[in-house]
Amino acid sequence: MPLFWLLLAAFILAPCACFLLLAVSPRLFSQGDQWFTLTYLHQALTGATAVAIVNSLWVSSAAAALGIAIGFPIAWLASRTTLPGRRFIPAAMWLVLLLPSWLPALGWERIVQPDGVMYRLGLDWPWVTHLIMGPFGVVLLLGLRCVPFSYLAITAAMAGLGQEFEDAARVHGASRLQAMRLIIPILAPAIWSALAIGFAESISDFGVAATLAYNSNFTLATYQLYADIGNFPPSFPLAAGMAWLLVAAVAIPLALQARALRGRSYAVLSGRTRQAVRREFGRWGKIGATGAVALFFVVALGVPGFGAVSASLLADYGGSFSLTWANYHALFAQTNLAAAAGGGLLSPLERSMVYGIITATITVIGGFIAARLLSKRRTKATGALDFLLLASVALPGVVFGAGYIFAYNLPIASRLGINLYQTATLLVIAYTASSLPTNARVLVGAVSQLQPSLQDAARAHGAGAITAWARGVLPVVSRPIVMAWLFTFCGVFLELPLSQLLYQPGSPPASIAIEDNLSNYHFGVGMAQSVLAVAFALALVGAVLGGYRLLAPAGWRRIGGTVRG
Amino acid sequence: MAEPITIESLGKTYPGGNVALHELSLAVEPGSFLVLLGPSGSGKTTLLRCLAGIERVTSGRITIGQRTVADGRTHVPPDQRDLSMVFQDYALWPHLSARDNVAFALRRRNLSREQCRIRAVQMLARVGLSALAERYPNELSGGEQQRVALARALIADTGLILCDEPLSNLDADLRERMRVEISSLVREAAATTVYITHDQAEAFALADQVGVLEKGRLVQSGTPEQIYTRPATPFVARFTGLAGEMTVRVRERDPDGMVFVEPVLGGGAIDEFSGGVPGRFPVRAPMEELPGETALLMVRPTGVRLNQDERHLAGRVTDVAFRGRGYEHAIDLDGSTRLTGVFAEFRVPRGEVVGLRMDPAGCHLYPAEPSDAQDHLPERAVVGAPES
């Protein structure tokens, strides 16, 4: 256990704390003369950085609002009506959630860019280009990413909201609309959560900031922070100042959400909650509702998917829409381009796959240990762990990455023999450290439901510690563990900000290789890599889920599953 | 103003073919308190929800006052039926204070917001919650929540109040206190009340009229006394509290309406007394003709007493439970026939053989049922006798 705490301190607490401390005390890290100064925080609030922060604030607010405006109706349609195809909505939402934000952004870009798919199809619509390649497009894409958070939060709340509240309103004189207006505030916790998470996710997003927003000359805070480190000479204290602002921007809505809900209970579940009745639509209502939901998925997945796939089948230059497999051939052939990309165009995908598998495995083990600690009786130590993990969830990936660069470049690291900077090891450690907080949060729900008696019963009936765990505990948490593993893998496989800041030169992970190809105008190959990457990821998810279904004992699969009949 | 209710040939079939109500007809006098009694799945909740307008009827007609609110073509939505309802889990909106929950029901009365608040506080005072008006549902105990729900149902002075098992979530002590409160407050309001429960003691204590439902049909309707003293079917008898049942042989009928029966007991019958035990005893003649020589005898807890001297039957005490005002005994007659809830003010130890005297008023005779009738015996009917 001390080793666990040491690792947490070394890989989560220390890098982030050092980096944030740097903004107010540069001399502590030999980055300036002052022991204490607010200059860098002040600088972060002026000039280009201030513009970036303001852009991020309003864009994130608008995106969170858009997320709830779209997510709420879809959640209501999925949980309270007989909408055709509603069974597919959860899976499609997870797909929207798990796709890294830069992928749809690139898909859209490749459609609307001058020389993009739209123009090659003969659609000369510059106004669409201007609309998407600007603040509107950025809000749209970030807002679409917020939809799954709203959807998941609202459907979870609606699942527990029985029919009685609406019935009670109706029998006491409320019309259908008035009843709905009465019910919506009961969902306030879910709505607040969705808004806070949507805002936090949007403001800490790097994928859209580094692609669509950057290419549209619309600077967001995360990209500005990256640029502060990437420019020569790098200004770590200024970047740290920006990090403070970002962390505050993420933490404030989360804190406000907690404050708004403190002392209030919106508990609606009781043992006798009557399941809500699904509303039947009329013919036109059904067509309208299905069309609206389909439109969301077309915009969120279909258009960027079409953009990516079609761009991967087009030659880089030329004005016609003639399809070719040349880009995919290039992926599998050893060409100069491939050699420049570091040993073949497929190797970044393989590399990311390996990184993802290693990271997901370590993270699930660490996450399980953390979840176990969090679900035990609260002590000062577990309270500190809880705070550390919660604070880390609110930490944008780019701040995390900047903290790593800074901390592992300090002379003291070298003096201690820790020469991890620009190694794959540090990248995997950073992936793990950034995934662990979310992973622990995902697992803590399942772990806190574990009855200690399960393991105790196995021990009392003669099983050793490991057997007792394997027989008494593992079956109960196997499904959440598999899901947490997949969740982490998908997050890491095409991760961008940490990869951008920490990858080992000459060994780029998939997201960097794709970005490099696109920025060097190898659009076709870059998009072919993207398409293959998504296909790889989906194949792995399918293989893991299929493997679990085939190999896990029937009893394991029953736990937490749906019982038919 | 209290409304009469007429239900004619009501049918409700859920999607999937589950028939919840079947040709059910019932009339409720204005201002009376009707309790619908039945086990789970008997259709009582569906009937209540059809009355409220939450469910659409499949066939038949519901008339409230002079207005048809539901038939094959008409479905008046719940908000236009001018009724109120107490829900099983209270359905208090968690984001509204107790006062606002109650005031909500006044919206349809077109009063100002201030008037609604004042009346809500007055109503809460009537149910003893004036000090808690600003609290939210989660800050109230189960009994307090129940009172808020009751206040919400009473405040708008509707002609019809529906109650969906409102006491089922409360513990025994609170249930009894709330039962008294509901009874008095609802009668003060002089509204017609339809109340559903599966607890026969609660039903008898509250009702002016009881309707017993079985598998979506109304099997008997009448005053609590009629239901208890003249249960129309074995189901009604079982559901309203039995000490036990046994097969009997009909020996003699006399012109005064009495029938003499003799129990058909198994090989393990107690025969330790001389003087013809098990013996013949009189019971009231059944409502319907008995087709055969054997019949089914249903015995209320009030239909059997411990009596060594004037005994009709003998049995062995297998269990005894202290009930405060005396003791209830379980008595085995022959190894397979058992009477429970046999009351005595004194305790008879387990294993002792006792004499039993049958009281015709508590014994009901029915045509013999198929042998599997015992499988349908609800546990409550045997062990849970109403306080009498």
Side-chain angles (χ1 to χ4, degrees):
Chain A
M1 211 40 69
L3 179 67
F4 179 75
W5 285 104
L6 190 69
L7 291 174
L8 280 184
F11 295 122
I12 295 183
L13 186 62
C16 300
C18 288
F19 186 58
L20 290 172
L21 208 54
L22 171 69
V24 288
S25 185
R27 184 156 183 191
L28 198 60
F29 304 98
S30 310
Q31 294 284 319
D33 300 328
Q34 304 101 318
W35 283 107
F36 179 78
T37 178
L38 295 175
T39 314
Y40 295 106
L41 278 172
H42 185 252
Q43 264 186 34
L45 285 168
T46 55
T49 51
V51 172
I53 282 280
V54 170
N55 283 345
S56 278
L57 285 174
W58 80 258
V59 157
S60 306
S61 308
L66 183 65
I68 202 88
I70 299 174
F72 190 104
I74 295 180
W76 183 80
L77 288 169
S79 37
R80 287 295 163 93
T81 70
T82 54
L83 184 82
R86 60 183 182 278
R87 287 169 213 284
F88 300 108
I89 293 179
M93 280 292 177
W94 276 103
L95 194 57
V96 176
L97 184 70
L98 290 178
L99 275 183
S101 63
W102 54 271
L103 259 179
L106 288 179
W108 270 97
E109 256 187 68
R110 285 307 302 143
I111 285 188
V112 302
Q113 266 179 341
D115 194 35
V117 175
M118 185 175 79
Y119 292 93
R120 294 215 198 172
L121 281 168
L123 303 170
D124 192 13
W125 294 340
W127 61 272
V128 175
T129 305
H130 288 129
L131 197 66
I132 298 297
M133 301 288 288
F136 175 84
V138 173
V139 170
L140 177 71
L141 278 167
L142 290 174
L144 293 177
R145 274 194 67 72
C146 295
V147 171
F149 296 112
S150 300
Y151 169 84
L152 292 172
I154 304 285
T155 44
M158 275 193 175
L161 186 68
Q163 187 67 33
E164 284 87 350
F165 295 109
E166 197 178 331
D167 289 345
R170 295 302 307 279
V171 298
H172 291 104
S175 65
R176 199 180 283 280
L177 193 66
Q178 286 170 326
M180 186 105 173
R181 278 177 53 195
L182 182 72
I183 299 305
I184 285 175
I186 303 180
L187 300 171
I191 295 171
W192 275 107
S193 299
L195 281 172
I197 295 170
F199 180 87
E201 280 289 320
S202 300
I203 207 159
S204 47
D205 174 84
F206 184 71
V208 175
T211 53
L212 187 79
Y214 172 69
N215 293 332
S216 311
N217 294 321
F218 184 71
T219 312
L220 295 177
T222 45
Y223 191 81
Q224 184 65 43
L225 192 154
Y226 167 73
D228 285 342
I229 301 171
N231 288 342
F232 191 80
S235 174
F236 278 102
L238 181 58
M242 285 217 61
W244 271 109
L245 298 181
L246 270 176
V247 170
V250 172
I252 287 169
L254 291 175
L256 283 178
Q257 178 215 358
R259 190 187 165 87
L261 302 177
R262 190 178 303 150
R264 295 286 301 278
S265 168
Y266 289 79
V268 290
L269 274 175
S270 78
R272 292 175 181 269
T273 300
R274 179 178 284 270
Q275 201 177 4
V277 179
R278 285 185 183 274
R279 236 184 107 189
E280 291 267 3
F281 276 120
R283 184 158 167 256
W284 291 109
K286 196 181 281 184
I287 292 172
T290 314
V293 174
L295 179 67
F296 162 72
F297 286 112
V298 165
V299 175
L301 293 173
V303 174
F306 169 74
V309 172
S310 59
S312 73
L313 294 168
L314 289 172
D316 287 340
Y317 302 102
S320 69
F321 192 78
S322 50
L323 303 179
T324 168
W325 290 107
N327 299 316
Y328 288 94
H329 283 305
L331 289 183
F332 293 94
Q334 280 295 332
T335 61
N336 289 340
L337 181 65
L345 288 166
L346 278 182
S347 53
L349 300 189
E350 292 161 8
R351 197 172 292 126
S352 279
M353 189 80 85
V354 172
Y355 289 167
I357 290 170
I358 294 172
T359 305
T361 307
I362 299 172
T363 306
V364 163
I365 294 169
F368 187 85
I369 295 170
R372 196 80 203 234
L373 288 172
L374 287 178
S375 62
K376 284 186 177 169
R377 198 168 54 83
R378 199 171 173 88
T379 61
K380 278 185 181 164
T382 56
L385 177 67
D386 196 17
F387 176 78
L388 179 65
L389 294 182
L390 202 62
S392 309
V393 170
L395 212 60
V398 69
V399 175
F400 220 93
Y404 264 65
I405 291 186
F406 177 71
Y408 288 95
N409 261 325
L410 285 173
I412 189 172
S414 186
R415 279 204 294 275
L416 289 170
I418 304 170
N419 296 307
L420 288 172
Y421 182 57
Q422 293 195 326
T423 63
T425 310
L426 188 66
L427 183 59
V428 170
I429 289 172
Y431 283 154
T432 307
S434 69
S435 314
L436 186 76
T438 319
N439 200 296
R441 290 274 143 210
V442 169
L443 284 173
V444 79
V447 172
S448 55
Q449 288 177 331
L450 273 176
Q451 297 284 348
S453 57
L454 289 173
Q455 200 165 355
D456 296 344
R459 294 301 299 272
H461 290 92
I466 293 171
T467 313
W469 190 85
R471 295 274 174 86
V473 176
L474 184 62
V476 183
V477 292
S478 65
R479 185 192 290 263
I481 282 181
V482 168
M483 296 317 283
W485 192 94
L486 284 175
F487 192 76
T488 309
F489 172 82
C490 291
V492 166
F493 181 55
L494 290 172
E495 199 277 344
L496 186 61
L498 289 174
S499 313
Q500 188 82 277
L501 289 163
L502 296 172
Y503 79 91
Q504 185 182 6
S507 304
S511 55
I512 301 304
I514 294 167
E515 276 282 291
D516 280 353
N517 275 322
L518 296 176
S519 57
N520 290 319
Y521 303 100
H522 302 304
F523 298 122
V525 171
M527 294 321 279
Q529 273 180 316
S530 308
V531 171
L532 267 189
V534 173
F536 273 22
L538 288 178
L540 189 109
V541 169
V544 170
L545 290 178
Y548 181 77
R549 203 176 170 78
L550 283 174
L551 301 175
W556 291 28
R557 282 181 277 121
R558 283 178 67 87
I559 297 167
T562 311
V563 179
R564 285 176 187 274
Chain B
M1 201 182 98
E3 305 270 23
I5 303 168
T6 312
I7 298 166
E8 297 165 70
S9 304
L10 194 70
K12 171 68 188 175
T13 305
Y14 283 106
N18 177 24
V19 180
L21 295 175
H22 190 86
E23 290 287 315
L24 192 145
S25 296
L26 180 68
V28 190
E29 295 290 317
S32 72
F33 197 122
L34 168 71
V35 177
L36 294 170
L37 178 65
S40 296
S42 61
K44 54 189 191 303
T45 299
T46 302
L47 177 54
L48 197 79
R49 291 168 67 80
C50 287
L51 277 171
I54 298 166
E55 298 285 354
R56 280 174 179 268
V57 306
T58 310
S59 59
R61 182 199 305 265
I62 299 174
T63 310
I64 299 177
Q66 300 302 314
R67 189 160 69 134
T68 298
V69 293
D71 63 17
R73 286 167 303 175
T74 315
H75 175 78
V76 177
D79 49 308
Q80 290 167 30
R81 294 192 180 196
D82 199 26
L83 48 84
S84 48
M85 186 162 169
V86 183
F87 287 78
Q88 189 173 27
D89 60 0
Y90 322 133
L92 298 179
W93 302 295
H95 61 300
L96 299 185
S97 65
R99 186 195 58 203
D100 290 342
N101 261 286
V102 175
F104 184 90
L106 274 180
R107 283 187 180 195
R108 57 188 141 174
R109 296 286 177 256
N110 295 323
L111 299 173
S112 69
R113 191 174 286 258
E114 194 50 39
Q115 277 179 308
C116 288
R117 288 177 166 217
I118 292 168
R119 285 212 201 173
V121 172
Q122 287 169 345
M123 192 69 229
L124 283 170
R126 269 182 71 192
V127 297
L129 291 181
S130 53
L132 307 179
E134 298 304 320
R135 293 214 184 157
Y136 286 89
N138 69 304
E139 296 165 334
L140 299 171
S141 69
E144 288 161 351
Q145 289 184 31
Q146 162 63 255
R147 282 183 216 179
V148 176
L150 189 59
R152 183 175 65 182
L154 292 171
I155 194 167
D157 274 332
T158 53
L160 174 59
I161 298 173
L162 307 175
C163 301
D164 181 3
E165 302 203 41
L167 302 181
S168 62
N169 285 345
L170 303 179
D171 60 53
D173 176 47
L174 193 55
R175 190 184 309 170
E176 182 56 21
R177 281 194 280 138
M178 286 309 302
R179 182 187 65 70
V180 175
E181 283 195 39
I182 288 177
S183 178
S184 54
L185 285 167
V186 162
R187 284 187 168 88
E188 261 177 53
T192 307
T193 306
V194 180
Y195 183 108
I196 63 172
T197 180
H198 59 263
D199 183 333
Q200 86 278 20
E202 195 178 309
F204 290 157
L206 280 167
D208 298 325
Q209 186 186 352
V210 176
V212 185
L213 293 172
E214 182 192 11
K215 294 177 184 166
R217 294 168 201 267
L218 183 72
V219 286
Q220 190 174 6
S221 172
T223 63
E225 293 81 358
Q226 286 168 337
I227 302 283
Y228 193 74
T229 55
R230 301 291 282 170
T233 66
F235 170 81
V236 177
R238 285 184 188 121
F239 201 71
T240 48
L242 283 185
E245 53 190 271
M246 63 185 86
T247 305
V248 293
R249 196 166 285 119
V250 178
R251 287 300 187 201
E252 195 181 322
R253 297 160 195 263
D254 78 8
D256 301 333
M258 302 302 277
V259 175
F260 285 84
V261 298
E262 200 175 274
V264 179
L265 296 177
I270 310 290
D271 196 11
E272 292 186 9
F273 303 114
S274 56
V277 173
R280 184 179 295 196
F281 53 90
V283 297
R284 194 185 286 168
M287 285 189 271
E288 54 189 313
E289 278 298 310
L290 296 175
E293 207 180 69
T294 58
L296 183 65
L297 182 74
M298 302 262 172
V299 183
R300 294 280 194 211
T302 51
V304 56
R305 282 180 291 124
L306 295 185
N307 191 324
Q308 297 286 34
D309 303 325
E310 298 172 39
R311 60 192 177 272
H312 293 127
L313 296 169
R316 193 181 301 279
V317 174
T318 55
D319 191 41
V320 56
F322 178 56
R323 296 291 188 202
R325 62 196 171 88
Y327 298 86
E328 284 180 0
H329 300 84
I331 294 166
D332 181 39
L333 299 183
D334 63 354
S336 61
T337 308
R338 178 182 286 187
L339 296 174
T340 57
V342 180
F343 185 77
E345 285 169 349
F346 50 90
R347 180 190 193 104
V348 180
R350 289 181 184 85
E352 194 154 303
V353 172
V354 290
L356 300 168
R357 182 163 183 82
M358 311 305 284
D359 180 351
C363 295
H364 307 288
L365 208 54
Y366 301 93
E369 286 184 333
S371 58
D372 64 351
Q374 286 286 338
D375 296 343
H376 303 299
L377 189 68
E379 271 183 43
R380 293 190 58 80
V382 178
V383 298
E387 300 289 319
S388 54

